[in-house]
Amino acid sequence: MTNWSGKLTSLGLAALLPLVSSAGLLRTETFEDQNFNGWIETNGPRSIVTNHVRAGTYAGKHTLIGQVGVNAGYKNESWRDRIFNDVGEYWIGFSVYIVDGGTEDWIFDQYSHDSIFFQVLHAPDYNLGETGKGYPIKMHIRGDEFTITHGGSTVNPHTSSSRIYTSSIIGPVVKGQWHDFVLYMKFDPPNPANCAIKVWHNGALKVDKSDFVFGNEGPGYHVKFGIYQPDWRTSFADVDKRWIYHDEIRIGDSNSNYNEVAPTGSAPPPPPPPSGNDLVSAATYATASSSWNASNIVKAHDDDTATGVGNANDNVWIEYDLGGTKTLDYARVWDDNSGTWQIGKWKLQYFDGSWHDAFGYTAANSTGWNEVNFTDVSASKIRFYFQDDISQDSNHTVHVYEVECYEASTAVSRVADEDAFVRGGSNSANNYGSDANLKVKDANTADVDRQTYLKFDLNSTGLTGCTSAKLRLYCNYVDGMETVTAFAVTNDGWTESNIRWNNKPPSGSTLQGVSVGTSGGWYEWDVTSFVDTQLGGDGIVSIVLKHPASTDIQHRFNSREASTNKPVLMIE
């Protein structure tokens, strides 16, 4: 029997344990040395990239261009031989990124077609002249869902007809974000009763099976990651191109554990969302300096940071007509900061009868959004100016992925007057009102259930109604992706120093559910209707945040007791 106490304190709380060094780690691949480090390439092309990264600075990318009947047209993988033995316990952790929008957009194929992105395969016995065998595990995208297929054979040497496979749906594929996976595998052929597999997706246990045929084709197993479309051998379905990114790959043996192989770090948290409206769009585009490719200039304002437009000249610009005088205070540009195609410096000019700098040239050093808050200016037109790299040498080219400029907000910002989380079960009489965190969780055990309450007293604002109200919270801890739902609370009599699970006011109508992902940062809920109603009443807004039942995922947000990034209500 597996000694789980030595591996996880509890399956539901695995991601909360501290990372402990152990001798059980067999291989780590984080791409931080800009190399695939002995992972054998099958066909290619593959590359080290910086535009989509789970942790650190680099990740691995595989590109597959379909071609019927050609091996390189349906398979592009990286693999290592015989990492595992026939019998034993092993752990694997890794992250995968599916692009949303642009040239590399992942188009969901017909349900019957598999896109395999990670495999554990039986290693061929080269002494017997074998070149390939079946797999005990393949992870694939089928339709729009992550799926795992596992199995093996009761016969050794195996035959194709003796293999027994089972597929399990892990969860939906959400594009435009990293997905974290951890696998625990116990191989003990030909003893099915001793075999087991567990799969966590974004910190949540999704597959938990034992007593099944697993493996038994030896000698040993090797591991592959990349992209493999078996059906492309003979024909194409809906698409003939794929791009996929991997990062944070760790493989361990029986001495390893969940936290040792689980992906660490996180993608950069999203910046605080601007309060005003983005005035840059295809509708406001006016003109540009003559050296731009006119047919591609739309890529600078198509809401897609995966594609852009290039220009070999310096001091080039793009102009937008705002359709009247607007007050501006914030602008940003997206830069991937890689290779010779990037932004070196940028600035914003505004027109109020003549052209002026809103701010002078500033370096675009960040991979992602480069932001500038500036003193309010009134303008009817704006121009984004760009230089290539800081040294302005001839080897670099300006490449603009996306530009945005925001109208200054007239919103009233109110920090929470009171906030607290409450905890169930044996903790239901405890108060957590002075905690710097607001916690949300719903588990199978009432002792660890948590809900968060917030109160805003708006009587001093002078507002009697609103057209927009957004609750904004800064998430500082995640152990998986889940929907956090805001509910109205009409009983405002609670206080943060006295609220407990056993006296918490009931929740009312549902306001909005927001998917809180695997990275921290700012998240917002639209609570306009409820706030507008309360402004016409007692002027006090109380809201409670909850998870769906028994998801066993925890999110923590900064409370008003935190030193920075306190919860706020933005009202217009």
Side-chain angles (χ1 to χ4, degrees), residues 217-347:
E217 295 185 26
Y221 306 94
H222 57 238
V223 174
K224 289 185 175 183
F225 67 96
I227 186 69
Y228 176 27
Q229 297 275 168
D231 53 293
W232 287 9
R233 295 176 181 175
T234 56
S235 64
F236 298 121
D238 302 324
V239 296
D240 61 357
K241 298 180 180 66
R242 291 286 192 211
W243 297 265
I244 198 164
Y245 297 75
H246 290 78
D247 203 357
E248 291 286 285
I249 300 170
R250 294 179 177 85
I251 300 171
D253 61 17
S254 60
N255 294 311
S256 190
N257 54 60
Y258 180 104
N259 286 291
E260 190 171 53
V261 302
T264 58
S266 66
S275 301
N277 300 313
D278 179 21
L279 301 174
V280 170
S281 68
T284 59
Y285 169 71
T287 185
S289 51
S290 59
S291 53
W292 290 102
N293 183 324
S295 62
N296 287 334
I297 198 71
V298 65
K299 295 178 180 178
H301 45 255
D302 61 356
D303 294 324
D304 181 2
T305 58
T307 61
V309 57
N311 196 314
N313 294 310
D314 227 346
N315 294 312
V316 291
W317 49 268
I318 307 174
E319 181 179 315
Y320 297 88
D321 187 333
L322 307 181
T325 301
K326 309 289 185 181
T327 302
L328 317 173
D329 67 353
Y330 174 91
R332 61 184 184 178
V333 297
W334 179 277
D335 189 10
D336 74 349
N337 269 294
S338 65
T340 59
W341 291 69
Q342 56 182 287
I343 301 170
K345 296 179 181 179
W346 69 291
K347 71 176 182 179

Side-chain angles (χ1 to χ4, degrees), residues 17-46:
L17 297 177
L19 181 62
V20 179
S21 175
S22 100
L25 207 56
L26 301 176
R27 179 157 296 280
T28 297
E29 184 54 75
T30 61
F31 307 100
E32 290 308 295
D33 61 354
Q34 303 180 56
N35 200 301
F36 279 82
N37 294 303
W39 289 87
I40 301 169
E41 184 178 21
T42 301
N43 300 320
R46 66 184 187 184

Side-chain angles (χ1 to χ4, degrees), residues 329-375:
D329 67 353
Y330 174 91
R332 61 184 184 178
V333 297
W334 179 277
D335 189 10
D336 74 349
N337 269 294
S338 65
T340 59
W341 291 69
Q342 56 182 287
I343 301 170
K345 296 179 181 179
W346 69 291
K347 71 176 182 179
L348 184 76
Q349 285 199 340
Y350 68 96
F351 185 80
D352 63 356
S354 58
W355 289 100
H356 313 275
D357 285 349
F359 54 88
Y361 272 113
T362 184
N365 292 327
S366 298
T367 300
W369 287 114
N370 292 261
E371 307 163 87
V372 174
N373 286 282
F374 51 90
T375 303

